[in-house]
Amino acid sequence: MKNWKLGTAACALALSAAMTVSAEAQVLMAHDKDFWRDGMDVMAEAGNFEHTGYVTEQYRAFLQSSMSANNPPDIFTWWTGNALADIVASGQVADVGELWDERIAAGEFSEGTRDLFSVDGVTYGIPMLLARWVVFYNMEMFEEHGLSEPTTWDELEQAAETLHAAGITPFHATVQDGWRGFIWFSEIMIRQNVEAYHGLHDGSVPYDGPEVQAVFDQWLEWYEAGYFSDPRSNEEVEEFARGEAAMYLMGEWATGTLLENGMTIGEDLGVFIMPNANPSQAPGVIVEGAPILISQEAWENPEARRVYEFWASTDGANVWAEAQSLYTGNLSATAPNAIIQEISSDIEAGGHTAITRWWEAVPSDLQGDIVAELSSFMLDPTPETAAEAMANMQAFNADYWADQ
C-alpha cells in the first residue's frame, strides 16, 4: 500500500492552499489543472460545484495529506496506471463501475476507454481528458517545401532533412516545467519496439539494455543532425505557434493553446500520428487518460454524485469541449475541434492500438528520477550523457524492483 504520510512542512503548505476554498461550497472538486482555470470555471458554473486548482507537486502534497487524514475532497483528479493503483490502495476511492455500465450501454463510451481507468478489473475513475499523443505540424512549411504528412519512418526522416536543409528546425522539444523529458524517449521506443516499452514498466526490460540503447542512438542521431530545437525554452507552445519549428510532438490537449496563439486548423496547423520505425509492428498511439475520482463518502452523497455524473455525461463533455477544447472520449459528444476529429478518424481507419503514456505506466516512485535523467540528456545530448543517463536510470529501476 502507498505510504500517504507527509512531512509537517508539506502538510502545512497543502492545507493552507486547501483553506482558500469557500467554506460554503456544497461539492468540492480539487485538481492539478489550474492551467485550465477558465474552462474549469465554466464547468463549475454549469455543474454547480466549487473547484480549487494546484500546481502538480503542491497537489500531490494536498491529496496525500487529505488521504492520510481520511478526509479526501469530494471529487478530485489523479493519474492512471501505477499512480491510480497507489491511491486506490488507500481504500477511500469509490468503485464507479455502475456509472460506466450505464454510459457504455448508452453508447457514450467504449469498453477500451474504461480499461484506462480501472485497477484489477474495477473501475475507479471517469475521464476528464482522453488525449492521443500526436505530431502537430506547420502546414505552410510543409507545403512550401513540397512535403506531405509522413506515413512511414523513412518519409518522416526525409521531411526532417528537407526542412533542416531549408534552415527550418524540424522538431520542437523542450524540458519546460521539468516533466517533458520522457516524451520523445517514449515515442521513439514505441515506434522501434513496443513490447520492450511495456517491459520497462514491469521491470523485465532494463534501462541500460540494447532496447533502450537503440532509442538513444536514434535520438542522438537526430540531435547531431540539428533536428531539435533548444530544449531550454520556457515558451514551448508559443514558439511552435510562432513558426520556430515545423513539428511538435504533444498531447491533443495542446490544440486549444495553439489556436489561442494564432494558429488555424487546416491553414497552418495540421496533425498526424507518428509512423512506426519497425513496420512489422501494429500501428499504435500513446494515450493519456486523466481520471476524475470520487471518494467513497461522496459517492453516497446525491449532490456530489450528480456533479460526478455531469462530468461523465454528453452534456458535460460538450460544455468542456466548448470551454477548453478538450476531449473526454465521449462518443456521443461533439468533437472539440477538427484536430481531434481527424485523429479519431485516423485511429479508426488505421486500427491503432492504445498505448499507455510513460508517465502513467511507469511506477510513480520512478517518475521524477528517470525524467530528470532524460532531461539531462536533452540539455547535453552526447554519447557520454546518454550512457550516463542509461546507467543512472537502471540504478533507480533496479533499486525499485528489488523492493517489490
Side-chain angles (χ1 to χ4, degrees), residues 11 31 95 116 157-158 299 319 385-386:
C11 288
H31 59 87
D95 172 355
L116 288 170
E157 293 199 303
Q158 289 165 10
W299 183 246
V319 172
T385 56

Side-chain angles (χ1 to χ4, degrees), residues 27 204 248 366:
V27 178
S204 62
Y248 180 39
L366 292 174

Side-chain angles (χ1 to χ4, degrees), residues 111 162 227:
E111 194 68 47
T162 298
Y227 288 175

Side-chain angles (χ1 to χ4, degrees), residues 203-232:
S204 62
V205 172
Y207 276 88
D208 60 353
E211 302 90 348
V212 173
Q213 181 67 62
V215 175
F216 275 95
D217 288 346
Q218 179 65 79
W219 206 1
L220 183 59
E221 178 184 319
W222 284 349
Y223 265 112
E224 292 177 338
Y227 288 175
F228 282 104
S229 60
D230 185 343
R232 294 165 179 80

Side-chain angles (χ1 to χ4, degrees), residues 135-142 172 236-248 254-271 337 339:
V135 182
F136 295 97
Y137 72 97
N138 188 304
M139 297 179 72
E140 292 177 345
M141 290 179 180
F142 268 57
H172 198 47
E236 185 179 87
V237 176
E238 294 83 356
E239 288 180 350
F240 177 72
R242 290 196 295 263
E244 297 187 22
M247 290 176 274
Y248 180 39
T255 304
T257 307
L258 291 170
L259 299 180
E260 289 171 2
N261 278 274
M263 300 194 82
T264 302
I265 297 171
E267 293 184 12
D268 60 352
L269 182 60
V271 67
N337 55 63
I339 291 287

Side-chain angles (χ1 to χ4, degrees), residues 40-298:
M40 287 298 301
D41 287 344
V42 173
M43 284 296 286
E45 182 175 356
N48 191 25
F49 62 91
E50 296 284 343
H51 75 94
T52 297
Y54 303 78
V55 297
T56 299
E57 289 309 312
Q58 185 188 42
Y59 184 66
R60 285 180 182 273
F62 165 64
L63 248 295
Q64 291 172 353
S65 174
S66 299
M67 290 290 180
S68 294
N70 293 313
N71 187 32
D74 299 319
I75 298 170
F76 51 99
T77 62
W78 201 241
W79 295 273
T80 55
N82 283 285
L84 180 59
D86 286 343
I87 200 167
V88 162
S90 73
Q92 298 175 67
V93 182
D95 172 355
V96 297
E98 174 187 338
L99 178 58
W100 275 92
D101 291 342
E102 295 171 359
R103 298 304 184 193
I104 290 173
E108 294 179 326
F109 286 96
S110 70
E111 194 68 47
T113 300
R114 177 180 187 158
D115 291 344
L116 288 170
F117 304 93
S118 300
V119 176
D120 295 332
V122 180
T123 313
Y124 293 98
I126 56 174
M128 182 186 202
L129 167 74
L130 190 73
R132 289 70 62 95
W133 281 63
V134 296
V135 182
F136 295 97
Y137 72 97
N138 188 304
M139 297 179 72
E140 292 177 345
M141 290 179 180
F142 268 57
E143 183 177 353
E144 180 181 353
H145 297 285
L147 300 171
S148 57
E149 294 179 8
T151 59
T152 68
W153 193 257
D154 285 344
E155 289 178 359
L156 177 68
E157 293 199 303
Q158 289 165 10
E161 176 54 33
T162 298
L163 291 161
H164 182 258
I168 298 170
T169 301
F171 303 132
H172 198 47
T174 77
V175 297
Q176 181 178 335
D177 299 330
W179 60 267
R180 287 170 163 84
F182 72 86
I183 295 174
W184 276 89
F185 169 78
S186 56
E187 187 73 24
I188 294 171
M189 191 164 195
I190 69 163
R191 300 306 164 196
Q192 292 180 338
N193 190 336
V194 70
E195 290 304 317
Y197 171 80
H198 293 312
L200 289 178
H201 308 136
D202 63 13
S204 62
V205 172
Y207 276 88
D208 60 353
E211 302 90 348
V212 173
Q213 181 67 62
V215 175
F216 275 95
D217 288 346
Q218 179 65 79
W219 206 1
L220 183 59
E221 178 184 319
W222 284 349
Y223 265 112
E224 292 177 338
Y227 288 175
F228 282 104
S229 60
D230 185 343
R232 294 165 179 80
S233 168
N234 285 316
E235 293 188 330
E236 185 179 87
V237 176
E238 294 83 356
E239 288 180 350
F240 177 72
R242 290 196 295 263
E244 297 187 22
M247 290 176 274
Y248 180 39
L249 175 61
M250 186 55 64
E252 292 166 313
W253 47 260
T255 304
T257 307
L258 291 170
L259 299 180
E260 289 171 2
N261 278 274
M263 300 194 82
T264 302
I265 297 171
E267 293 184 12
D268 60 352
L269 182 60
V271 67
F272 63 88
I273 299 171
M274 190 175 289
N276 284 337
N278 178 359
S280 66
Q281 288 187 163
V285 62
I286 287 177
V287 176
E288 171 191 2
I292 304 173
L293 312 181
I294 183 169
S295 71
Q296 289 192 1
E297 182 177 350

